[in-house]
Amino acid sequence: MVRDPRSRIQKDDVLTVLGYALPVLGGLLGVAYVNTNYMDFINPVWAVGIGAIIGWIAAWAIRKVLG
């Protein structure tokens, strides 16, 4: 049997994208924070890591609510 192609975006597709996109967005916001407040923050790696972890937690929470 041949499977017919899906023509619309499903909830699983959105949840999969959120799992990748939100940690990247959090890391990007960490980079933006370091670039705007470069004298306030000692180690930029911490800002990127904390942003990515916050993004991962947000993605986990959204997947928990919607999934």
Short mmCIF file of all heavy atoms in Angstrom, two decimals:
data_model
loop_
_atom_site.label_atom_id
_atom_site.label_comp_id
_atom_site.label_asym_id
_atom_site.label_seq_id
_atom_site.Cartn_x
_atom_site.Cartn_y
_atom_site.Cartn_z
N MET A 1 0.83 -1.18 0.00
CA MET A 1 0.00 0.00 0.00
C MET A 1 0.88 1.25 0.00
O MET A 1 1.86 1.33 0.73
CB MET A 1 -0.88 0.01 1.24
CG MET A 1 -1.94 -1.07 1.20
SD MET A 1 -3.25 -0.95 2.43
CE MET A 1 -2.51 -0.37 3.86
N VAL A 2 0.48 2.18 -0.78
CA VAL A 2 1.21 3.43 -0.88
C VAL A 2 0.56 4.46 0.05
O VAL A 2 -0.66 4.63 0.04
CB VAL A 2 1.19 3.95 -2.34
CG1 VAL A 2 1.87 5.28 -2.43
CG2 VAL A 2 1.82 2.94 -3.26
N ARG A 3 1.40 5.10 0.86
CA ARG A 3 0.88 6.12 1.76
C ARG A 3 0.70 7.42 0.99
O ARG A 3 1.56 7.82 0.20
CB ARG A 3 1.85 6.35 2.91
CG ARG A 3 1.99 5.13 3.79
CD ARG A 3 3.02 5.33 4.84
NE ARG A 3 2.66 6.47 5.68
CZ ARG A 3 3.48 7.01 6.58
NH1 ARG A 3 4.70 6.54 6.73
NH2 ARG A 3 3.08 8.02 7.30
N ASP A 4 -0.42 8.07 1.20
CA ASP A 4 -0.65 9.35 0.54
C ASP A 4 0.10 10.45 1.31
O ASP A 4 0.19 10.42 2.52
CB ASP A 4 -2.14 9.67 0.44
CG ASP A 4 -2.83 9.63 1.79
OD1 ASP A 4 -2.33 8.94 2.70
OD2 ASP A 4 -3.87 10.29 1.91
N PRO A 5 0.66 11.39 0.58
CA PRO A 5 1.43 12.45 1.24
C PRO A 5 0.52 13.36 2.06
O PRO A 5 -0.63 13.62 1.71
CB PRO A 5 2.06 13.21 0.08
CG PRO A 5 1.21 12.91 -1.10
CD PRO A 5 0.63 11.54 -0.87
N ARG A 6 1.07 13.84 3.17
CA ARG A 6 0.31 14.75 4.01
C ARG A 6 0.30 16.13 3.37
O ARG A 6 1.30 16.59 2.86
CB ARG A 6 0.94 14.85 5.39
CG ARG A 6 0.90 13.56 6.14
CD ARG A 6 1.39 13.72 7.53
NE ARG A 6 2.75 14.27 7.52
CZ ARG A 6 3.41 14.62 8.60
NH1 ARG A 6 2.86 14.49 9.78
NH2 ARG A 6 4.63 15.10 8.53
N SER A 7 -0.84 16.77 3.42
CA SER A 7 -0.95 18.07 2.76
C SER A 7 -1.00 19.23 3.75
O SER A 7 -0.92 20.37 3.35
CB SER A 7 -2.20 18.11 1.88
OG SER A 7 -3.35 17.90 2.68
N ARG A 8 -1.09 18.94 5.06
CA ARG A 8 -1.16 20.03 6.03
C ARG A 8 -0.22 19.76 7.18
O ARG A 8 0.25 18.65 7.39
CB ARG A 8 -2.58 20.22 6.54
CG ARG A 8 -3.14 19.00 7.22
CD ARG A 8 -4.62 19.21 7.54
NE ARG A 8 -5.14 17.99 8.11
CZ ARG A 8 -5.49 17.85 9.37
NH1 ARG A 8 -5.39 18.86 10.19
NH2 ARG A 8 -5.95 16.71 9.82
N ILE A 9 0.06 20.79 7.93
CA ILE A 9 0.96 20.66 9.06
C ILE A 9 0.19 20.08 10.23
O ILE A 9 -0.91 20.52 10.55
CB ILE A 9 1.53 22.05 9.43
CG1 ILE A 9 2.36 22.60 8.27
CG2 ILE A 9 2.37 21.96 10.69
CD1 ILE A 9 2.85 24.01 8.49
N GLN A 10 0.77 19.09 10.87
CA GLN A 10 0.13 18.44 12.00
C GLN A 10 0.78 18.88 13.30
O GLN A 10 1.85 19.49 13.31
CB GLN A 10 0.21 16.93 11.85
CG GLN A 10 -0.55 16.43 10.65
CD GLN A 10 -0.46 14.93 10.51
OE1 GLN A 10 0.34 14.29 11.16
NE2 GLN A 10 -1.30 14.38 9.66
N LYS A 11 0.13 18.56 14.42
CA LYS A 11 0.61 18.97 15.73
C LYS A 11 1.99 18.38 16.03
O LYS A 11 2.84 19.07 16.61
CB LYS A 11 -0.39 18.55 16.80
CG LYS A 11 0.01 18.99 18.21
CD LYS A 11 -1.07 18.70 19.22
CE LYS A 11 -1.15 17.24 19.53
NZ LYS A 11 -2.00 16.94 20.68
N ASP A 12 2.24 17.17 15.62
CA ASP A 12 3.55 16.55 15.85
C ASP A 12 4.67 17.29 15.14
O ASP A 12 5.79 17.39 15.64
CB ASP A 12 3.54 15.09 15.41
CG ASP A 12 2.68 14.23 16.29
OD1 ASP A 12 2.44 14.62 17.45
OD2 ASP A 12 2.24 13.17 15.82
N ASP A 13 4.36 17.84 13.96
CA ASP A 13 5.36 18.60 13.22
C ASP A 13 5.73 19.87 13.98
O ASP A 13 6.91 20.23 14.08
CB ASP A 13 4.84 18.97 11.83
CG ASP A 13 4.54 17.75 10.99
OD1 ASP A 13 5.18 16.70 11.22
OD2 ASP A 13 3.67 17.84 10.11
N VAL A 14 4.74 20.55 14.51
CA VAL A 14 4.98 21.78 15.26
C VAL A 14 5.77 21.49 16.53
O VAL A 14 6.72 22.20 16.87
CB VAL A 14 3.65 22.49 15.58
CG1 VAL A 14 3.87 23.68 16.49
CG2 VAL A 14 2.94 22.91 14.30
N LEU A 15 5.42 20.42 17.23
CA LEU A 15 6.12 20.07 18.46
C LEU A 15 7.57 19.69 18.18
O LEU A 15 8.46 20.00 18.98
CB LEU A 15 5.39 18.94 19.18
CG LEU A 15 4.00 19.28 19.72
CD1 LEU A 15 3.36 18.05 20.33
CD2 LEU A 15 4.08 20.40 20.73
N THR A 16 7.82 19.04 17.07
CA THR A 16 9.19 18.68 16.71
C THR A 16 10.02 19.92 16.41
O THR A 16 11.16 20.04 16.87
CB THR A 16 9.19 17.74 15.49
OG1 THR A 16 8.44 16.57 15.81
CG2 THR A 16 10.59 17.36 15.09
N VAL A 17 9.45 20.85 15.68
CA VAL A 17 10.17 22.08 15.36
C VAL A 17 10.43 22.89 16.62
O VAL A 17 11.51 23.46 16.79
CB VAL A 17 9.38 22.91 14.32
CG1 VAL A 17 9.94 24.30 14.16
CG2 VAL A 17 9.39 22.20 12.99
N LEU A 18 9.47 22.95 17.53
CA LEU A 18 9.67 23.69 18.77
C LEU A 18 10.81 23.11 19.61
O LEU A 18 11.54 23.85 20.26
CB LEU A 18 8.38 23.69 19.61
CG LEU A 18 7.27 24.59 19.13
CD1 LEU A 18 6.05 24.45 20.03
CD2 LEU A 18 7.71 26.03 19.08
N GLY A 19 10.95 21.79 19.58
CA GLY A 19 12.03 21.16 20.33
C GLY A 19 13.41 21.58 19.87
O GLY A 19 14.36 21.57 20.64
N TYR A 20 13.54 21.95 18.61
CA TYR A 20 14.82 22.41 18.08
C TYR A 20 14.92 23.94 18.08
O TYR A 20 15.98 24.49 18.34
CB TYR A 20 15.02 21.91 16.64
CG TYR A 20 15.27 20.44 16.57
CD1 TYR A 20 14.28 19.57 16.16
CD2 TYR A 20 16.50 19.92 16.92
CE1 TYR A 20 14.50 18.20 16.09
CE2 TYR A 20 16.75 18.56 16.85
CZ TYR A 20 15.74 17.71 16.44
OH TYR A 20 15.96 16.36 16.38
N ALA A 21 13.83 24.61 17.76
CA ALA A 21 13.87 26.05 17.56
C ALA A 21 14.00 26.85 18.86
O ALA A 21 14.73 27.84 18.90
CB ALA A 21 12.63 26.51 16.80
N LEU A 22 13.32 26.43 19.91
CA LEU A 22 13.35 27.23 21.14
C LEU A 22 14.71 27.21 21.84
O LEU A 22 15.15 28.27 22.31
CB LEU A 22 12.23 26.80 22.08
CG LEU A 22 10.83 27.21 21.63
CD1 LEU A 22 9.79 26.75 22.63
CD2 LEU A 22 10.73 28.70 21.42
N PRO A 23 15.42 26.10 21.93
CA PRO A 23 16.77 26.19 22.49
C PRO A 23 17.72 27.05 21.66
O PRO A 23 18.54 27.78 22.20
CB PRO A 23 17.24 24.73 22.54
CG PRO A 23 16.00 23.95 22.64
CD PRO A 23 15.00 24.70 21.81
N VAL A 24 17.59 26.98 20.34
CA VAL A 24 18.41 27.84 19.48
C VAL A 24 18.06 29.30 19.69
O VAL A 24 18.93 30.16 19.78
CB VAL A 24 18.26 27.42 18.00
CG1 VAL A 24 18.92 28.42 17.09
CG2 VAL A 24 18.81 26.04 17.79
N LEU A 25 16.77 29.59 19.79
CA LEU A 25 16.34 30.96 20.04
C LEU A 25 16.82 31.45 21.41
O LEU A 25 17.25 32.60 21.54
CB LEU A 25 14.81 31.06 19.96
CG LEU A 25 14.20 32.44 20.18
CD1 LEU A 25 14.68 33.39 19.09
CD2 LEU A 25 12.70 32.34 20.19
N GLY A 26 16.79 30.58 22.41
CA GLY A 26 17.31 30.96 23.72
C GLY A 26 18.79 31.25 23.69
O GLY A 26 19.26 32.22 24.31
N GLY A 27 19.56 30.45 22.98
CA GLY A 27 20.98 30.72 22.83
C GLY A 27 21.24 32.01 22.08
O GLY A 27 22.14 32.78 22.42
N LEU A 28 20.43 32.27 21.07
CA LEU A 28 20.56 33.53 20.32
C LEU A 28 20.24 34.73 21.20
O LEU A 28 20.92 35.76 21.13
CB LEU A 28 19.64 33.50 19.10
CG LEU A 28 19.68 34.71 18.19
CD1 LEU A 28 21.05 34.83 17.55
CD2 LEU A 28 18.62 34.60 17.13
N LEU A 29 19.23 34.60 22.05
CA LEU A 29 18.93 35.69 22.98
C LEU A 29 20.05 35.86 24.00
O LEU A 29 20.31 36.99 24.44
CB LEU A 29 17.59 35.43 23.67
CG LEU A 29 16.36 35.54 22.78
CD1 LEU A 29 15.11 35.16 23.55
CD2 LEU A 29 16.24 36.93 22.20
N GLY A 30 20.71 34.77 24.39
CA GLY A 30 21.87 34.88 25.26
C GLY A 30 23.00 35.64 24.59
O GLY A 30 23.67 36.47 25.22
N VAL A 31 23.23 35.40 23.32
CA VAL A 31 24.25 36.14 22.56
C VAL A 31 23.87 37.61 22.48
O VAL A 31 24.72 38.50 22.65
CB VAL A 31 24.42 35.54 21.15
CG1 VAL A 31 25.26 36.43 20.27
CG2 VAL A 31 25.03 34.16 21.24
N ALA A 32 22.60 37.89 22.23
CA ALA A 32 22.14 39.28 22.17
C ALA A 32 22.33 39.98 23.50
O ALA A 32 22.73 41.14 23.56
CB ALA A 32 20.68 39.34 21.73
N TYR A 33 22.08 39.27 24.60
CA TYR A 33 22.26 39.85 25.93
C TYR A 33 23.73 40.19 26.17
O TYR A 33 24.06 41.26 26.67
CB TYR A 33 21.75 38.91 27.01
CG TYR A 33 21.99 39.43 28.40
CD1 TYR A 33 21.16 40.41 28.94
CD2 TYR A 33 23.07 38.98 29.16
CE1 TYR A 33 21.38 40.91 30.20
CE2 TYR A 33 23.30 39.48 30.42
CZ TYR A 33 22.45 40.44 30.94
OH TYR A 33 22.68 40.94 32.19
N VAL A 34 24.60 39.28 25.80
CA VAL A 34 26.04 39.53 25.99
C VAL A 34 26.50 40.70 25.13
O VAL A 34 27.30 41.52 25.57
CB VAL A 34 26.84 38.25 25.66
CG1 VAL A 34 28.33 38.54 25.58
CG2 VAL A 34 26.58 37.20 26.72
N ASN A 35 25.99 40.80 23.91
CA ASN A 35 26.42 41.89 23.03
C ASN A 35 25.89 43.24 23.47
O ASN A 35 26.54 44.25 23.22
CB ASN A 35 25.99 41.60 21.59
CG ASN A 35 26.84 40.53 20.97
OD1 ASN A 35 27.98 40.32 21.36
ND2 ASN A 35 26.28 39.83 19.99
N THR A 36 24.74 43.28 24.11
CA THR A 36 24.21 44.57 24.56
C THR A 36 24.73 44.96 25.93
O THR A 36 24.82 46.14 26.23
CB THR A 36 22.67 44.56 24.58
OG1 THR A 36 22.23 43.50 25.42
CG2 THR A 36 22.12 44.38 23.18
N ASN A 37 25.06 44.00 26.77
CA ASN A 37 25.55 44.27 28.12
C ASN A 37 26.92 43.62 28.30
O ASN A 37 27.13 42.86 29.22
CB ASN A 37 24.57 43.71 29.17
CG ASN A 37 23.19 44.30 29.02
OD1 ASN A 37 23.04 45.48 28.82
ND2 ASN A 37 22.20 43.45 29.09
N TYR A 38 27.85 43.96 27.46
CA TYR A 38 29.12 43.25 27.45
C TYR A 38 29.98 43.51 28.69
O TYR A 38 30.83 42.71 29.02
CB TYR A 38 29.92 43.57 26.19
CG TYR A 38 30.26 45.03 26.02
CD1 TYR A 38 31.47 45.54 26.47
CD2 TYR A 38 29.37 45.88 25.39
CE1 TYR A 38 31.77 46.87 26.31
CE2 TYR A 38 29.66 47.22 25.23
CZ TYR A 38 30.87 47.71 25.69
OH TYR A 38 31.17 49.02 25.54
N MET A 39 29.75 44.58 29.40
CA MET A 39 30.54 44.84 30.60
C MET A 39 29.90 44.23 31.85
O MET A 39 30.56 44.09 32.87
CB MET A 39 30.71 46.35 30.80
CG MET A 39 31.51 47.02 29.70
SD MET A 39 33.16 46.38 29.52
CE MET A 39 33.96 47.09 30.94
N ASP A 40 28.64 43.87 31.79
CA ASP A 40 27.95 43.33 32.95
C ASP A 40 28.17 41.83 33.13
O ASP A 40 28.04 41.32 34.23
CB ASP A 40 26.43 43.58 32.84
CG ASP A 40 26.10 45.05 32.87
OD1 ASP A 40 26.94 45.83 33.36
OD2 ASP A 40 25.01 45.41 32.42
N PHE A 41 28.48 41.16 32.05
CA PHE A 41 28.56 39.70 32.10
C PHE A 41 30.00 39.27 31.87
O PHE A 41 30.63 39.69 30.92
CB PHE A 41 27.64 39.11 31.03
CG PHE A 41 27.03 37.81 31.42
CD1 PHE A 41 26.01 37.79 32.34
CD2 PHE A 41 27.48 36.63 30.89
CE1 PHE A 41 25.42 36.60 32.71
CE2 PHE A 41 26.90 35.44 31.26
CZ PHE A 41 25.87 35.42 32.17
N ILE A 42 30.51 38.42 32.73
CA ILE A 42 31.92 38.04 32.65
C ILE A 42 32.16 36.99 31.57
O ILE A 42 33.03 37.13 30.74
CB ILE A 42 32.41 37.51 34.02
CG1 ILE A 42 32.33 38.63 35.05
CG2 ILE A 42 33.82 36.97 33.92
CD1 ILE A 42 32.57 38.19 36.46
N ASN A 43 31.38 35.92 31.55
CA ASN A 43 31.62 34.81 30.64
C ASN A 43 30.43 34.65 29.69
O ASN A 43 29.35 34.26 30.11
CB ASN A 43 31.83 33.53 31.44
CG ASN A 43 32.36 32.41 30.60
OD1 ASN A 43 32.45 32.52 29.39
ND2 ASN A 43 32.70 31.31 31.24
N PRO A 44 30.61 34.94 28.40
CA PRO A 44 29.50 34.83 27.45
C PRO A 44 28.98 33.40 27.26
O PRO A 44 27.84 33.21 26.88
CB PRO A 44 30.07 35.36 26.14
CG PRO A 44 31.42 35.85 26.42
CD PRO A 44 31.81 35.47 27.79
N VAL A 45 29.81 32.41 27.53
CA VAL A 45 29.38 31.03 27.36
C VAL A 45 28.23 30.71 28.31
O VAL A 45 27.31 29.98 27.97
CB VAL A 45 30.57 30.07 27.57
CG1 VAL A 45 30.12 28.63 27.52
CG2 VAL A 45 31.64 30.33 26.54
N TRP A 46 28.28 31.29 29.50
CA TRP A 46 27.20 31.07 30.46
C TRP A 46 25.88 31.64 29.94
O TRP A 46 24.82 31.02 30.10
CB TRP A 46 27.53 31.69 31.82
CG TRP A 46 28.51 30.88 32.57
CD1 TRP A 46 29.86 31.10 32.66
CD2 TRP A 46 28.25 29.71 33.33
NE1 TRP A 46 30.43 30.13 33.43
CE2 TRP A 46 29.47 29.27 33.86
CE3 TRP A 46 27.10 28.98 33.61
CZ2 TRP A 46 29.58 28.14 34.65
CZ3 TRP A 46 27.21 27.86 34.40
CH2 TRP A 46 28.43 27.45 34.92
N ALA A 47 25.90 32.80 29.33
CA ALA A 47 24.67 33.42 28.81
C ALA A 47 24.06 32.57 27.71
O ALA A 47 22.84 32.35 27.69
CB ALA A 47 24.95 34.83 28.30
N VAL A 48 24.88 32.07 26.81
CA VAL A 48 24.38 31.24 25.72
C VAL A 48 23.83 29.92 26.28
O VAL A 48 22.75 29.46 25.89
CB VAL A 48 25.48 30.98 24.67
CG1 VAL A 48 25.01 30.02 23.61
CG2 VAL A 48 25.92 32.29 24.05
N GLY A 49 24.55 29.31 27.20
CA GLY A 49 24.10 28.06 27.79
C GLY A 49 22.83 28.21 28.58
O GLY A 49 21.91 27.38 28.47
N ILE A 50 22.74 29.26 29.38
CA ILE A 50 21.52 29.49 30.17
C ILE A 50 20.34 29.77 29.25
O ILE A 50 19.24 29.27 29.47
CB ILE A 50 21.75 30.64 31.17
CG1 ILE A 50 22.72 30.16 32.26
CG2 ILE A 50 20.44 31.11 31.77
CD1 ILE A 50 23.19 31.27 33.18
N GLY A 51 20.58 30.54 28.18
CA GLY A 51 19.50 30.81 27.21
C GLY A 51 19.02 29.55 26.53
O GLY A 51 17.82 29.35 26.33
N ALA A 52 19.97 28.67 26.18
CA ALA A 52 19.58 27.41 25.53
C ALA A 52 18.82 26.51 26.50
O ALA A 52 17.84 25.86 26.11
CB ALA A 52 20.82 26.69 25.01
N ILE A 53 19.23 26.48 27.75
CA ILE A 53 18.52 25.66 28.74
C ILE A 53 17.11 26.21 28.99
O ILE A 53 16.15 25.43 29.07
CB ILE A 53 19.33 25.57 30.04
CG1 ILE A 53 20.57 24.71 29.80
CG2 ILE A 53 18.49 25.00 31.18
CD1 ILE A 53 21.56 24.71 30.94
N ILE A 54 16.98 27.52 29.06
CA ILE A 54 15.65 28.11 29.23
C ILE A 54 14.78 27.80 28.02
O ILE A 54 13.58 27.50 28.15
CB ILE A 54 15.76 29.63 29.49
CG1 ILE A 54 16.37 29.87 30.88
CG2 ILE A 54 14.41 30.32 29.36
CD1 ILE A 54 16.70 31.31 31.17
N GLY A 55 15.35 27.85 26.83
CA GLY A 55 14.61 27.49 25.62
C GLY A 55 14.19 26.03 25.61
O GLY A 55 13.08 25.70 25.21
N TRP A 56 15.07 25.17 26.10
CA TRP A 56 14.74 23.74 26.19
C TRP A 56 13.61 23.51 27.19
O TRP A 56 12.69 22.72 26.93
CB TRP A 56 15.98 22.94 26.59
CG TRP A 56 15.70 21.49 26.69
CD1 TRP A 56 15.63 20.59 25.67
CD2 TRP A 56 15.41 20.76 27.88
NE1 TRP A 56 15.34 19.35 26.15
CE2 TRP A 56 15.19 19.41 27.51
CE3 TRP A 56 15.32 21.11 29.22
CZ2 TRP A 56 14.88 18.44 28.44
CZ3 TRP A 56 15.01 20.13 30.14
CH2 TRP A 56 14.80 18.82 29.75
N ILE A 57 13.66 24.21 28.31
CA ILE A 57 12.59 24.08 29.32
C ILE A 57 11.27 24.58 28.75
O ILE A 57 10.22 23.96 28.96
CB ILE A 57 12.98 24.81 30.62
CG1 ILE A 57 14.13 24.07 31.30
CG2 ILE A 57 11.80 24.94 31.55
CD1 ILE A 57 14.75 24.82 32.45
N ALA A 58 11.31 25.68 28.02
CA ALA A 58 10.08 26.20 27.40
C ALA A 58 9.53 25.21 26.38
O ALA A 58 8.31 24.98 26.32
CB ALA A 58 10.36 27.55 26.74
N ALA A 59 10.40 24.61 25.58
CA ALA A 59 9.95 23.62 24.61
C ALA A 59 9.36 22.40 25.31
O ALA A 59 8.34 21.86 24.89
CB ALA A 59 11.12 23.20 23.70
N TRP A 60 9.99 21.97 26.40
CA TRP A 60 9.48 20.83 27.17
C TRP A 60 8.10 21.14 27.74
O TRP A 60 7.20 20.31 27.67
CB TRP A 60 10.45 20.48 28.29
CG TRP A 60 9.95 19.41 29.18
CD1 TRP A 60 10.00 18.07 28.95
CD2 TRP A 60 9.30 19.57 30.44
NE1 TRP A 60 9.42 17.39 30.00
CE2 TRP A 60 8.99 18.30 30.93
CE3 TRP A 60 8.96 20.68 31.20
CZ2 TRP A 60 8.34 18.12 32.15
CZ3 TRP A 60 8.33 20.51 32.41
CH2 TRP A 60 8.02 19.22 32.86
N ALA A 61 7.93 22.36 28.28
CA ALA A 61 6.65 22.74 28.86
C ALA A 61 5.55 22.81 27.81
O ALA A 61 4.43 22.33 28.03
CB ALA A 61 6.76 24.07 29.58
N ILE A 62 5.87 23.35 26.65
CA ILE A 62 4.88 23.43 25.57
C ILE A 62 4.52 22.04 25.08
O ILE A 62 3.34 21.73 24.84
CB ILE A 62 5.40 24.31 24.43
CG1 ILE A 62 5.47 25.77 24.89
CG2 ILE A 62 4.53 24.19 23.18
CD1 ILE A 62 6.14 26.69 23.90
N ARG A 63 5.52 21.15 24.94
CA ARG A 63 5.23 19.79 24.52
C ARG A 63 4.39 19.05 25.56
O ARG A 63 3.54 18.24 25.23
CB ARG A 63 6.52 19.02 24.25
CG ARG A 63 7.23 19.49 23.01
CD ARG A 63 8.50 18.71 22.80
NE ARG A 63 8.24 17.30 22.62
CZ ARG A 63 8.14 16.69 21.45
NH1 ARG A 63 8.31 17.40 20.35
NH2 ARG A 63 7.89 15.41 21.37
N LYS A 64 4.63 19.34 26.84
CA LYS A 64 3.86 18.70 27.92
C LYS A 64 2.39 19.16 27.87
O LYS A 64 1.49 18.35 28.04
CB LYS A 64 4.50 19.06 29.26
CG LYS A 64 4.02 18.26 30.40
CD LYS A 64 4.62 16.88 30.32
CE LYS A 64 4.45 16.19 31.65
NZ LYS A 64 4.87 14.81 31.56
N VAL A 65 2.20 20.45 27.62
CA VAL A 65 0.82 20.98 27.58
C VAL A 65 0.08 20.50 26.33
O VAL A 65 -1.07 20.07 26.41
CB VAL A 65 0.84 22.52 27.65
CG1 VAL A 65 -0.51 23.11 27.34
CG2 VAL A 65 1.32 22.98 29.00
N LEU A 66 0.74 20.55 25.18
CA LEU A 66 0.07 20.21 23.93
C LEU A 66 0.12 18.73 23.60
O LEU A 66 -0.72 18.23 22.85
CB LEU A 66 0.71 20.99 22.76
CG LEU A 66 0.55 22.49 22.80
CD1 LEU A 66 1.26 23.10 21.60
CD2 LEU A 66 -0.91 22.88 22.80
N GLY A 67 1.09 18.03 24.14
CA GLY A 67 1.33 16.65 23.72
C GLY A 67 0.52 15.65 24.46
O GLY A 67 0.28 14.56 24.09
#
